[in-house]
Amino acid sequence: MASPGIITFTTDFGASDSFVGQMKGAALSIDPDLRLIDLCHEIPAQNVAAGAYVLETGYGAFPRGTVHVAVVDPGVGTSRRAVAVAAGGHVFVAPDNGLLGRVLGRERPECAVELEPAGPGGAATFEGRDRFTPAAARIASGTPVESMGPLARDLVVLPVAARPEPDRFASIPVIHVDRFGNAVLDLRAEWIGAGSGTDDAPAIVVRTPGGEIDRLHRTYGEAEGDSPFLVVNSAGYVEIAVNGRDAADRLGLRPGDTLDVRLGS
Amino acid sequence: MASPGIITFTTDFGASDSFVGQMKGAALSIDPDLRLIDLCHEIPAQNVAAGAYVLETGYGAFPRGTVHVAVVDPGVGTSRRAVAVAAGGHVFVAPDNGLLGRVLGRERPECAVELEPAGPGGAATFEGRDRFTPAAARIASGTPVESMGPLARDLVVLPVAARPEPDRFASIPVIHVDRFGNAVLDLRAEWIGAGSGTDDAPAIVVRTPGGEIDRLHRTYGEAEGDSPFLVVNSAGYVEIAVNGRDAADRLGLRPGDTLDVRLGS
Amino acid sequence: MASPGIITFTTDFGASDSFVGQMKGAALSIDPDLRLIDLCHEIPAQNVAAGAYVLETGYGAFPRGTVHVAVVDPGVGTSRRAVAVAAGGHVFVAPDNGLLGRVLGRERPECAVELEPAGPGGAATFEGRDRFTPAAARIASGTPVESMGPLARDLVVLPVAARPEPDRFASIPVIHVDRFGNAVLDLRAEWIGAGSGTDDAPAIVVRTPGGEIDRLHRTYGEAEGDSPFLVVNSAGYVEIAVNGRDAADRLGLRPGDTLDVRLGS
């Protein structure tokens, strides 16, 4: 897999410090020709599950061979492993704490290695700059993943919701609320017999604090009025939306909540 | 017009999701040598008028031939048109919903075309990634605008405030409040007989909830004390400011409010 | 010093306007091959001291010869000087208002010049775009600093805390609170006889509203429970942290507060 020389960054570092900028400086210090792209830096602080969703749903838009650095790392500097993983035609560099867990729930790793510790001048409190990014920059510059360290086995995989049995209510978590207030369910669009529902037996029913929702629209703007409805988002997950409004706020939904969902047969 | 290979991005996508990153991934997937610059992603959700102001006042700093993608798009996936427009030496790619309305109020379009729908794998809910950005990337890579689709006529133009008649109060909207609390009026600096006012007949008078303002300063730091004053901002609009303070907060001004303004003769 | 063609940007411009994007447009208008990296744009509005800390602790991650533009500038357009300064192997372009004061407290300037005013089309209210960035772009493209204007002497240097005398309490300011709520003290790690403390005479004692803290950990994750502790941050400063919590919020600490600190002998 030839590298296109692109690194993306996903962190919980926010924008009020220079942490993200310093990671980019570390990358350019290794190879000034790398392309450096922000995927997201507003992962809620130390929320590994939220980072896992953003990473899973974001990396696919990039060219094959892109290196994705992700740092949401409550255990920075401790004994949790730091890994580089080739999977799905991309490379991921991250702590092995579940942050890659959703990607790895979908893509079998082709190669996974444990990264060396940061050098003697490195800070134990900022491995994003001193360990993860330098490794990513070397890989994006052409160093093969397998030469970056000893093989790593048994990576942490997050439990991704399985396809619920048809015609029975199952408990499905809200995995993300986006900027517009759309509440994403851990439910793949391909699990719905889309278009197969009827008024008597809709293809999907979601129970929310504001009532049952079974209307599935193709786009936000198609929905009339301000009733909540379902839509397949751009990452292939089912989400709850209200046209022009913040659905999560309206229904009191937050990431981590669970809702009863029934799929048609 | 040769392309310098630069794309800017203006959206209401915020920073808490990976949407902006995914658009950049889509651009690099078409041409990995493109330069990708954020213009603004904190347009208030679905506020087309706010996006129109940011776009109008931001694009001019870029080299001629830059392609500006703008997505504030309540009607994503519906029948509103998606267009590419060459105007003022730049190219704009956006929904035809008024987002280009202020640019087009100033610059006559040289060429406007309607973009093809997103391909079969595209998401109806994320045309920013699957329709607008791919078109922008092709244009920034050298594809002529006129070859991108059928000619589009009758683009949506926003009503830009006209020059008020002298010596009479006219109602002028606050079109933007910037990070520092400066409240921008839809009033061009060149309409003021700058320097021509006197204490008896000032060049401009603005009635606010905190009283009339007729003092015009060249810079923020020139103003003494904490009285509100007027200043010409870096985009050529008149704004209300308080030295070292948040003028909008102090005077209770928000975008969309209107104020009575009188210009001297 | 050859230039790697990199510019970083540090401002208090936030993300809700197009100001930062416009600065990048101005840079690309001079040299479309420059690499443009955000260091931080969420410096609290007009807080020069906060900007000085972010700049001091951020620039070192970049390759030698990088040009760092910094604009936190309550006096924009007034008579305060605009300068370009070569120091520590990097170049800094900023108002001479203390923003470079912490960098210059550590690095003796090799060369400092006063920048020319913005050209006739420039805006007095936006020298970031019309004066600082164009100068930075010329320097990053290879123009020597010393040719950019007349020599500037007596640059503003911020008072950096001196090493406190051992075994006596000294008043030390909180200079920054990061995204995770870690409260950074203006206290260099090398001043602590790290590892030399004992239970009877700890290497460092910090008095806070929540009690005395004398426990020094190597990483955040090493600390057990939710008691505040000290850690050396990635910039070499001592900070107050709570594992998995917001220490500043918990202890009621804000930038500018001072705490009594005693170092061991």
Side-chain angles (χ1 to χ4, degrees):
Chain A
M1 183 168 59
S3 171
I6 302 169
I7 300 178
T8 79
F9 296 88
T10 301
T11 74
D12 63 349
F13 292 167
S16 57
D17 299 283
S18 68
F19 299 143
V20 172
Q22 290 184 58
M23 290 174 76
K24 294 177 180 170
L28 295 176
S29 294
I30 287 175
D31 182 347
D33 290 327
L34 293 173
R35 310 296 311 272
L36 309 176
I37 306 288
D38 298 307
L39 195 50
C40 183
H41 298 294
E42 297 292 342
I43 306 297
Q46 309 196 340
N47 188 329
V48 171
Y53 172 80
V54 166
L55 197 56
E56 173 205 3
T57 54
Y59 79 90
F62 287 82
R64 284 176 66 86
T66 295
V67 180
H68 305 274
V69 178
V71 187
V72 179
D73 194 11
V76 58
T78 65
S79 61
R80 60 94 192 85
R81 295 184 296 186
V83 296
V85 182
H90 293 245
V91 178
F92 301 87
V93 176
D96 180 34
N97 63 1
L99 190 54
L100 302 182
R102 290 187 71 93
V103 169
L104 296 177
R106 305 182 153 278
E107 301 283 357
R108 177 184 293 273
E110 296 141 23
C111 173
V113 302
E114 187 170 347
L115 300 175
E116 294 168 13
T125 51
F126 195 3
E127 295 194 313
R129 179 190 66 191
D130 295 337
R131 189 178 190 191
F132 294 109
T133 297
R138 289 175 57 198
I139 295 168
S141 295
T143 302
V145 173
E146 56 267 30
S147 73
M148 294 294 295
L151 285 183
R153 297 179 194 284
D154 300 322
L155 301 178
V156 176
V157 175
L158 286 195
V160 178
R163 180 178 191 148
E165 282 187 59
D167 300 324
R168 299 181 55 166
F169 277 98
S171 181
I172 300 287
V174 173
I175 45 175
H176 183 70
V177 172
D178 78 12
R179 196 258 171 125
F180 300 95
N182 301 310
V184 184
L185 298 174
D186 200 353
L187 197 70
R188 295 296 302 171
E190 56 266 28
W191 296 343
I192 308 177
S196 67
T198 64
D199 278 357
D200 284 346
I204 175 170
V205 177
V206 179
R207 284 184 179 152
T208 77
E212 290 196 349
I213 309 175
D214 60 11
R215 187 60 58 98
L216 185 66
H217 285 295
R218 200 181 58 88
T219 67
Y220 306 109
E222 243 175 46
E224 290 178 22
D226 60 355
S227 295
F229 59 93
L230 304 171
V231 66
V232 174
N233 77 9
S234 60
Y237 285 93
V238 176
E239 64 185 26
I240 303 171
V242 176
N243 189 5
R245 302 279 178 87
D246 185 311
D249 187 54
R250 168 103 159 254
L251 297 171
L253 298 177
R254 301 177 57 170
D257 290 351
T258 58
L259 297 177
D260 287 336
V261 176
R262 190 188 69 203
L263 300 187
S265 53
Chain B
M1 181 167 61
S3 170
I6 302 168
I7 300 179
T8 79
F9 295 88
T10 301
T11 74
D12 62 349
F13 291 168
S16 57
D17 300 283
S18 68
F19 299 143
V20 172
Q22 290 184 58
M23 291 174 75
K24 294 177 180 169
L28 295 177
S29 294
I30 288 176
D31 183 347
D33 291 327
L34 293 173
R35 310 296 311 273
L36 308 176
I37 306 287
D38 298 307
L39 195 50
C40 184
H41 297 295
E42 297 293 340
I43 305 297
Q46 309 197 338
N47 188 329
V48 171
Y53 172 79
V54 166
L55 196 57
E56 174 205 3
T57 55
Y59 79 91
F62 287 82
R64 285 175 67 86
T66 296
V67 179
H68 305 274
V69 178
V71 186
V72 180
D73 193 12
V76 59
T78 66
S79 61
R80 61 94 191 85
R81 296 184 295 187
V83 296
V85 182
H90 293 245
V91 178
F92 302 87
V93 177
D96 180 34
N97 63 1
L99 190 53
L100 301 182
R102 291 187 70 94
V103 169
L104 297 176
R106 305 181 152 277
E107 301 283 356
R108 176 185 294 274
E110 295 141 23
C111 173
V113 302
E114 187 170 347
L115 299 176
E116 295 168 11
T125 51
F126 196 4
E127 294 194 314
R129 179 190 67 190
D130 295 336
R131 189 177 190 191
F132 294 109
T133 297
R138 289 174 56 198
I139 296 168
S141 295
T143 302
V145 173
E146 55 268 29
S147 73
M148 294 293 296
L151 285 183
R153 296 178 195 284
D154 301 321
L155 301 178
V156 176
V157 175
L158 286 195
V160 178
R163 181 179 190 147
E165 282 186 59
D167 299 325
R168 299 180 57 168
F169 277 97
S171 182
I172 300 286
V174 173
I175 44 175
H176 182 71
V177 171
D178 76 13
R179 196 259 170 123
F180 301 94
N182 301 309
V184 184
L185 299 174
D186 200 354
L187 197 72
R188 296 294 303 171
E190 55 265 28
W191 296 343
I192 309 177
S196 67
T198 64
D199 279 357
D200 285 345
I204 176 171
V205 177
V206 178
R207 285 185 177 151
T208 78
E212 292 196 347
I213 309 175
D214 60 12
R215 187 62 58 97
L216 185 67
H217 284 295
R218 198 180 60 86
T219 67
Y220 307 109
E222 243 175 48
E224 291 179 21
D226 60 356
S227 296
F229 60 93
L230 304 171
V231 66
V232 174
N233 78 8
S234 60
Y237 285 93
V238 176
E239 65 185 27
I240 303 172
V242 176
N243 189 5
R245 303 279 178 87
D246 186 311
D249 186 56
R250 168 102 160 255
L251 298 171
L253 298 177
R254 301 178 57 170
D257 290 351
T258 57
L259 297 176
D260 287 335
V261 176
R262 191 188 69 204
L263 300 187
S265 53
Chain C
M1 183 167 59
S3 170
I6 302 168
I7 300 179
T8 79
F9 295 87
T10 301
T11 74
D12 62 350
F13 292 167
S16 57
D17 301 283
S18 68
F19 299 144
V20 172
Q22 290 184 58
M23 291 174 75
K24 293 177 180 170
L28 295 176
S29 295
I30 288 176
D31 182 347
D33 291 327
L34 293 173
R35 311 296 311 271
L36 309 176
I37 306 287
D38 297 307
L39 196 50
C40 183
H41 297 294
E42 297 293 340
I43 306 296
Q46 309 196 340
N47 188 329
V48 171
Y53 172 79
V54 166
L55 197 57
E56 173 205 2
T57 54
Y59 80 90
F62 287 82
R64 285 176 66 86
T66 295
V67 180
H68 305 274
V69 178
V71 186
V72 179
D73 193 12
V76 57
T78 65
S79 61
R80 61 94 191 85
R81 295 184 297 185
V83 296
V85 182
H90 292 245
V91 178
F92 302 87
V93 176
D96 180 34
N97 64 0
L99 190 54
L100 301 182
R102 291 188 70 94
V103 170
L104 296 177
R106 304 182 152 279
E107 301 283 356
R108 176 184 294 272
E110 295 141 24
C111 173
V113 302
E114 187 171 348
L115 299 175
E116 294 168 12
T125 52
F126 196 4
E127 295 195 314
R129 179 190 66 190
D130 295 337
R131 189 178 189 190
F132 294 109
T133 297
R138 289 174 57 198
I139 295 168
S141 296
T143 303
V145 173
E146 55 268 29
S147 73
M148 293 294 295
L151 285 183
R153 296 177 195 284
D154 301 321
L155 301 177
V156 175
V157 175
L158 285 195
V160 179
R163 179 179 191 147
E165 282 187 59
D167 300 324
R168 300 181 55 168
F169 277 97
S171 182
I172 300 287
V174 174
I175 44 175
H176 183 69
V177 172
D178 76 14
R179 196 259 171 126
F180 301 94
N182 302 310
V184 184
L185 299 175
D186 200 354
L187 197 71
R188 296 295 302 172
E190 58 264 29
W191 296 344
I192 307 177
S196 67
T198 64
D199 278 357
D200 285 345
I204 175 170
V205 177
V206 178
R207 285 185 178 152
T208 77
E212 290 197 348
I213 308 174
D214 60 11
R215 187 61 57 99
L216 185 66
H217 284 296
R218 198 181 60 88
T219 67
Y220 306 110
E222 243 175 45
E224 291 178 22
D226 61 355
S227 297
F229 60 93
L230 304 170
V231 65
V232 174
N233 77 9
S234 60
Y237 285 92
V238 176
E239 65 186 25
I240 303 172
V242 175
N243 189 5
R245 303 277 180 86
D246 186 310
D249 186 55
R250 167 103 161 255
L251 298 171
L253 298 176
R254 301 177 56 169
D257 290 352
T258 58
L259 297 176
D260 287 335
V261 176
R262 190 188 68 204
L263 300 187
S265 52

